[in-house]
Amino acid sequence: KKAMGDRLLIEDLSFTVPPGAIVGVIGPNGAGKSTLFRMITGGEQPDEGTITLGDTVHLAYVDQSRDALDPGKNVWEEISGGAEVIHLGDMQVNSRVYTGAFNFKGTDQQKKVGLLSGGERNRVHMAKMLKEGGNVLLLDEPTNDLDVDTIRWLEMFLANFDNTVLVVSHDRHFLDNVCTHVCDIDFGKIQIFSGNYTFWYQSSQLALRQRSDQNK
């Protein structure tokens, strides 16, 4: 259970995220989606109940603020930490090639972070977090300000990611392409669906029609 002041956000929420699932977390603005992520990461505590992480869980959190970036570093330095080689699981990848995968080509890698646009900062933040090797990714509105090519790259990355992802997004097309489950948060009411966004939408519309028929 979690409330903000006198506004109830989450009540009687109980679910287990299966290994390898990509869970789309949806709901109206202010319903508690980002708050749920902050509770999972320990940034906030539930008012009642507990959140338990598996012993082998290594969280990687891409939040909406992108504030944890050094404006004085260039793009390559911020992503690579100055290392020529990045370790991605069992793989070793040239750091400039990795940076280029996020659509920072050539001299773009020398741009100062403090001068980047919102979309560019989003890509830098995501590149930093994904290279940390987390096996549970928390992505809060990851497609905000991203160009189409980077969104497609992210979809392919998640499709080949063998671990678990929770993603808050209003991008229906993105959720359709990546999600295996949907968590619908609506001001205290929570529903979990197995399937992508279209399956959730069709199921919700069917339930609304059935309730309407029963009330006639």
Side-chain angles (χ1 to χ4, degrees):
K1 182 177 181 179
K2 182 67 175 178
M4 288 292 181
D6 58 358
R7 184 176 64 179
L8 180 65
L9 296 179
I10 295 170
E11 185 176 35
D12 196 26
L13 170 61
S14 179
F15 71 101
T16 298
V17 179
I22 300 178
V23 183
V25 183
I26 64 173
N29 289 332
K33 303 184 297 297
S34 296
T35 300
L36 175 63
F37 275 17
R38 289 194 293 271
M39 288 195 292
I40 292 173
T41 60
E44 294 190 25
Q45 297 300 315
D47 298 331
E48 296 178 15
T50 59
I51 294 174
T52 304
L53 303 183
D55 293 337
T56 61
V57 166
H58 178 193
L59 291 175
Y61 180 28
V62 178
D63 65 14
Q64 291 189 55
S65 68
R66 327 297 188 217
D67 288 338
L69 300 177
D70 186 341
K73 290 183 178 178
N74 65 40
V75 168
W76 174 77
E77 290 171 332
E78 183 68 9
I79 292 174
S80 69
E84 292 295 335
V85 175
I86 289 175
H87 296 271
L88 299 175
D90 296 330
M91 297 187 302
Q92 292 186 350
V93 179
N94 180 280
S95 59
R96 295 192 182 276
V97 173
Y98 177 78
T99 303
F102 290 84
N103 207 23
F104 290 108
K105 310 292 187 183
T107 57
D108 285 347
Q109 298 190 10
Q110 305 307 313
K111 285 184 178 179
K112 292 294 185 181
V113 171
L115 300 177
L116 298 179
S117 68
E120 289 170 327
R121 289 177 63 85
N122 192 349
R123 283 187 272 141
V124 171
H125 195 275
M126 195 174 306
K128 279 189 67 177
M129 292 300 102
L130 295 181
K131 81 177 179 65
E132 295 302 318
N135 57 16
V136 176
L137 305 183
L138 304 180
L139 308 178
D140 196 350
E141 298 290 358
T143 63
N144 278 3
D145 302 316
L146 288 187
D147 58 86
V148 172
D149 288 341
T150 308
I151 292 174
R152 297 296 169 262
W153 182 91
L154 179 60
E155 290 175 351
M156 288 188 291
F157 175 87
L158 295 177
N160 292 286
F161 186 66
D162 292 331
N163 293 296
T164 304
V165 183
L166 283 80
V167 53
V168 170
S169 180
H170 289 89
D171 186 335
R172 300 177 181 182
H173 185 73
F174 175 73
L175 292 175
D176 248 356
N177 287 343
V178 302
C179 287
T180 63
H181 296 71
V182 170
C183 175
D184 181 10
I185 299 179
D186 189 6
F187 297 104
K189 292 181 273 187
I190 309 288
Q191 288 183 290
I192 309 292
F193 295 83
S194 180
N196 62 9
Y197 182 90
T198 293
F199 178 81
W200 164 82
Y201 181 80
Q202 292 173 343
S203 300
S204 300
Q205 294 304 302
L206 176 60
L208 286 173
R209 288 197 298 271
Q210 289 174 338
R211 284 199 292 270
S212 177
D213 291 342
Q214 291 170 357
N215 293 330
K216 287 180 179 178

